[in-house]
Amino acid sequence: MDTLTRTPGQAVLPVRSRCTAVLRRALWWTVLSLTGGVERRGRLPRGGCVVVANHSSHADTAALLAALDARHGPAIGAAADYWFASPWRRRICRRLAAGFPVRRGGGGMDDLLSMAGELREGRAVVLFPEGTRGRDGELGSFHRGALVLAEEAGVPVVPVGIAGTDRLLPKHGRLRSSLVRVTVGEPLPSAVTPEQARDAVRALQNRTATEPLRDSVARRRVAAVVTSRWGLPLAFCWAFAEALSWPLMPELLLGAVCVAAPRAALKMSLGALAGSLAGGLLALQLASSGVQLPAPLTTDRMRAEVRHQLALEGASAVRHQPWNGIPFKVYGAETGRAGVPAAEWLGASAAARGSRTLTVGLGLAGFGLLLRRHRRHYGRFLALLGGGFAVGLSMIVHGWS
């Protein structure tokens, strides 16, 4: 039997159920974070409660599981004739959504009342009193089942407003990116009427849908540049200059732009990669002709190490560049002085530089998606990025001195 942890006067779920709820919440929080973000306002009261929410999308279930406290082990009422009509749907509903069947054609009240014991143990039972998904954000009439269950179990009714799921996954539509917001209201007495519960949910839904997402002016300006016609040339020119002489590596630029505009990450990463390769090829040709360009923040020890690697490995020596801190321009120039064929070096550089640039760019895009609801702190992120880069660069230069 599962061990129970109790506080005086309050029922608490079994440890196994709480752990499962934590994992389920982490799963859906991650999924929704990658599709635009999820934001919650308010908290459920202690102990069991019946949650009533508006319903316009299949994504409503994921939003509630991601937003509601795992200590309540939310259980979602699901239409038996749809989600439990086949074995694979039943397994998905039970395991991923903690669903329990509610019949819509008769017997549904008995299904609901069977959850009274779960409520008394401290669980949150989530129901969509409309009974089906609505259209165009309109809230349908509420059935009494959720309120009867709350009164039978002696627990409060908690209204919840959901916004953004109708854009994320419209009824009969395709999945697309959208921020999802969940607002938890104040508990209502179990004797509340369906009209009162509906009004409370509608008020929360309207407030949640119209509340603007706080953003940073700096982020908006950076994103505007990145998504304009100047974004790709900027990435190319920055990386091109760094491969010749410029001391600031393109990953610094990617750190700023991919977090500001995650959807442009692949374009900007490919532009930076193309610029690095073009600049590196030019640096190789200039060095082979005896031209020596300025190379700030590089050291003689870096150049000696690259010459040693080239003597041993030829063009494939550039594979060390993403990990050893030696700037790409040092490899380009020293390869030219060593007389390594440009075609061989270009192929090896595309693999080595591409793996680093694309990984960094797409990783930062994922980071930007996860932190979408914290966009107002983008200025602080830029300060941390610049400070961290300065410290890291100084450590690298000192280490190779």
Side-chain angles (χ1 to χ4, degrees), residues 28 32 35 53-65 76-78 82-83 97 126-128 130-139 162-176 178-182 205:
W28 291 117
L32 291 179
T35 56
N54 56 296
H55 192 30
S56 58
S57 167
H58 283 319
D60 292 330
T61 296
L64 290 169
L65 289 171
I76 312 290
Y82 182 83
W83 288 109
V126 180
L127 298 170
F128 300 111
E130 296 169 88
T132 186
R133 288 172 292 165
R135 285 182 177 273
D136 303 323
E138 292 296 326
L139 197 60
I162 308 171
T165 52
D166 55 339
R167 294 185 296 275
L168 176 68
L169 185 61
K171 189 173 184 179
H172 307 307
R174 295 180 178 180
L175 180 68
R176 52 189 175 182
S178 175
L179 173 67
V180 172
R181 286 170 163 167
V182 177
Q205 179 190 16

Side-chain angles (χ1 to χ4, degrees), residues 30-77:
T30 301
V31 170
L32 291 179
S33 295
L34 293 173
T35 56
V38 58
E39 185 179 79
R40 183 192 73 179
R41 299 287 178 87
R43 298 177 69 89
L44 294 180
R46 292 185 175 274
C49 59
V50 173
V51 174
V52 292
N54 56 296
H55 192 30
S56 58
S57 167
H58 283 319
D60 292 330
T61 296
L64 290 169
L65 289 171
L68 299 181
D69 300 304
R71 61 187 171 89
H72 287 87
I76 312 290

Side-chain angles (χ1 to χ4, degrees), residues 4 7 17 29 73 90 97 154 185-186 189 191 247 252 267 334 336 344 354 362 374:
L4 295 181
T7 54
S17 298
W29 184 88
R90 181 168 59 250
E186 293 296 323
L252 177 62
K267 175 188 76 173
E334 294 301 326
E344 293 181 16
L362 296 180
H374 300 295

Side-chain angles (χ1 to χ4, degrees), residues 34 51 53 55 89 93 118 220 274 291 390 392:
L34 293 173
V51 174
H55 192 30
R89 282 186 183 176
C93 187
E118 302 277 351
R220 291 199 301 269
V291 178

Side-chain angles (χ1 to χ4, degrees), residues 47-50 119-120 149-157 188-190:
C49 59
V50 173
L119 287 166
R120 297 188 187 103
L149 172 61
E151 191 167 11
E152 174 69 20
V155 299
V157 175
L188 304 172
S190 56

